[in-house]
Amino acid sequence: MATSLFTQIRRDLHQIPEPGFAEVKTQKYLLDYLERLPQERMQIKTWRTGILVRIAGTNPKRTIAWRTDMDGLPIAEETSYPFRSLHEGYMHACGHDMHMAIALGLVTHFVEQPIADDLLFLFQPAEEGPGGAQPMMESEEFASWRPDCIFALHIAPEYPVGYIATKPGILFANTSELYIDLVGKGGHAAFPHKANDMVVAGSHLITQLQTIVARNVDPLDSAVVTIGKLEGGTKQNIIAEKARLEGTIRTFSTESMALVKARIEALVKGIEAGFDCTASIDYGVGYCQVYNEEKLTTAFMDWVREQGEDVTLIACKEAMTGEDFGYFLQEIPGFLFWLGVHTPYGLHHSKIEPSEDAIEVGIRLVSRYFTWLSEQN
């Protein structure tokens, strides 16, 4: 079977994953494609390594926006693909290559078959970090084409191809990175009484941090505190002077996020006193929740159910995943939905191989939805 255009585009993009705000090759690839399309109805602007594409409607009363993300992840790829990443240590392991291919498919469709309303397509860098949505929204380029509503999708490994999932209200959690540095006094392993061991201090702190969700967060609420990395020491017979903990915090409410951070700070002060060390906390990048606007999301879900057997809708539960698309939804009504890609490996896994059949599903579904939405004025 011949490879479709947008499947090939996905494969091309899969080979050039880049860090946030360094998507130079990715931006050039996208621009080269966009510039080959008919230009009569289309305007293109760049912002840092991102792109904004406006398609003029035939009788516009509003601007409908679609957002896709662009960056890759610092993961060494272990897929079976013949088109594996050419950038060592980097991989499109979160589906952004598929997201971009779908977005280009939508641009192509609406350039050739415009609808009444204006359309805005946002190719946003740095979703994985340090966060591109908020600064893009603050840019002059975005302000000049500010949309009235905005939408996005994200691939979902757990759902079959042809299935989508969403819900009104909160869909993704508030998130925050977490970095804690401990500094004590190093020394020879044979003389532990002359040193302050930060591996021991860090280990105690990790155990204490696990009590926050279990003993401080309302059991009817939800929160996650995960330490994914502990680094300390230089050699087996040297007591570690420094230790660094790296992790993440996720909550479904801003109140719980504030509570968790307050407890972390209290526990770290206790470690400073108990182990006679100094500590610092850095919350790094934080994303707000993805909150789907109730009316638009419900209407979309009703519309999908009326489409017959082409796409199957699942009314899903909220997830502890994070997405900086939430910043758009803080100010502009819209929603995000999951797109099934049927793969046993999860997001951010080095072996994830999403089904490429989902690309055409996404293009077909969103193009029909935007056409219908434009007719609802």
Side-chain angles (χ1 to χ4, degrees):
M1 181 181 295
T3 303
S4 74
L5 170 61
F6 300 107
T7 296
Q8 185 58 54
I9 285 172
R10 181 261 166 161
R11 295 179 180 183
D12 292 344
L13 290 167
H14 186 84
Q15 293 185 294
I16 53 170
E18 297 168 291
F21 291 129
E23 303 96 338
V24 177
K25 292 181 182 178
T26 303
Q27 184 188 52
K28 183 180 186 305
Y29 182 97
L30 297 171
L31 287 172
D32 286 347
Y33 178 85
L34 291 167
E35 289 166 1
R36 292 196 299 270
L37 295 175
Q39 302 294 304
E40 291 79 10
R41 310 192 73 86
M42 185 165 58
Q43 294 174 274
I44 300 173
K45 294 181 180 181
T46 58
W47 170 79
R48 298 182 69 167
T49 49
I51 306 170
L52 300 85
V53 181
R54 182 177 178 272
I55 300 176
T58 58
N59 185 26
K61 295 182 180 178
R62 60 179 169 178
T63 298
I64 301 170
W66 181 260
R67 174 273 200 172
T68 187
D69 32 21
M70 300 170 61
D71 51 328
L73 284 159
I75 294 174
E77 183 166 355
E78 295 183 289
T79 67
S80 63
Y81 289 150
F83 51 90
R84 289 169 62 159
S85 170
L86 300 175
H87 295 170
E88 186 175 353
Y90 259 83
M91 176 187 176
H92 271 301
C94 201
H96 296 187
D97 49 348
M98 294 189 71
H99 298 174
M100 288 184 285
I102 290 169
L104 288 181
L106 294 172
V107 171
T108 304
H109 174 85
F110 288 112
V111 163
E112 297 170 352
Q113 301 177 53
I115 56 177
D117 287 320
D118 290 340
L119 293 171
L120 176 64
F121 293 91
L122 303 171
F123 293 83
Q124 178 221 301
E127 189 280 323
E128 298 291 352
Q134 194 168 29
M136 177 176 256
M137 289 186 68
E138 296 168 352
S139 70
E140 293 181 4
E141 292 81 2
F142 183 82
S144 66
W145 287 342
R146 188 179 180 87
D148 299 288
C149 51
I150 189 164
F151 308 94
L153 63 74
H154 200 294
I155 66 164
E158 67 270 29
Y159 296 126
V161 174
Y163 283 67
I164 67 166
T166 194
K167 66 180 289 292
I170 190 165
L171 184 67
F172 288 3
N174 299 276
T175 69
S176 174
E177 296 175 345
L178 176 62
Y179 304 97
I180 303 173
D181 288 291
L182 304 175
V183 180
K185 183 180 179 182
H188 197 292
F191 306 102
H193 57 294
K194 295 182 178 181
N196 297 328
D197 192 339
M198 291 302 99
V199 166
V200 173
S203 300
H204 276 262
L205 179 56
I206 290 173
T207 301
Q208 292 179 28
L209 291 174
Q210 299 311 304
T211 68
I212 295 175
V213 174
R215 288 296 176 265
N216 299 120
V217 176
D218 185 334
L220 298 180
D221 196 354
S222 296
V224 169
V225 178
T226 294
I227 300 300
K229 181 178 179 181
L230 169 61
E231 187 176 62
T234 56
K235 201 172 187 292
Q236 88 280 0
N237 63 347
I238 301 174
I239 292 174
E241 181 175 346
K242 297 178 181 180
R244 180 175 174 85
L245 285 65
E246 300 184 5
T248 182
I249 312 166
R250 294 162 189 263
T251 72
F252 282 137
S253 70
T254 54
E255 293 79 10
S256 289
M257 179 63 75
L259 168 67
V260 169
K261 287 183 176 180
R263 288 299 301 146
I264 289 172
E265 290 159 18
L267 292 172
V268 168
K269 286 181 179 178
I271 290 293
E272 286 184 302
F275 288 88
D276 191 21
C277 65
T278 60
S280 61
I281 302 172
D282 178 4
Y283 292 116
V285 175
Y287 292 168
C288 69
Q289 64 193 20
V290 171
Y291 193 93
N292 287 342
E293 198 274 333
E294 305 268 349
K295 186 176 179 181
L296 277 170
T297 309
T298 300
F300 170 71
M301 295 173 74
D302 291 341
W303 175 82
V304 173
R305 292 187 184 102
E306 295 170 0
Q307 299 305 299
E309 298 180 358
D310 191 26
V311 175
T312 301
L313 173 72
I314 296 173
C316 64
K317 294 182 179 181
E318 57 269 33
M320 279 293 180
T321 42
E323 241 281 3
D324 71 348
F325 183 63
Y327 288 110
F328 289 106
L329 294 180
Q330 275 190 320
E331 298 184 17
I332 303 167
F335 57 78
L336 182 146
F337 66 87
W338 291 108
L339 176 71
V341 295
H342 186 60
T343 170
Y345 296 104
L347 300 175
H348 293 204
H349 196 287
S350 61
K351 295 183 179 180
I352 186 172
E353 297 185 9
S355 172
E356 294 175 326
D357 293 340
I359 295 172
E360 294 299 330
V361 174
I363 295 170
R364 188 168 59 249
L365 176 70
V366 178
S367 60
R368 291 203 318 243
Y369 171 64
F370 278 7
T371 301
W372 174 83
L373 184 63
S374 185
E375 295 168 354
Q376 305 310 301
N377 285 332

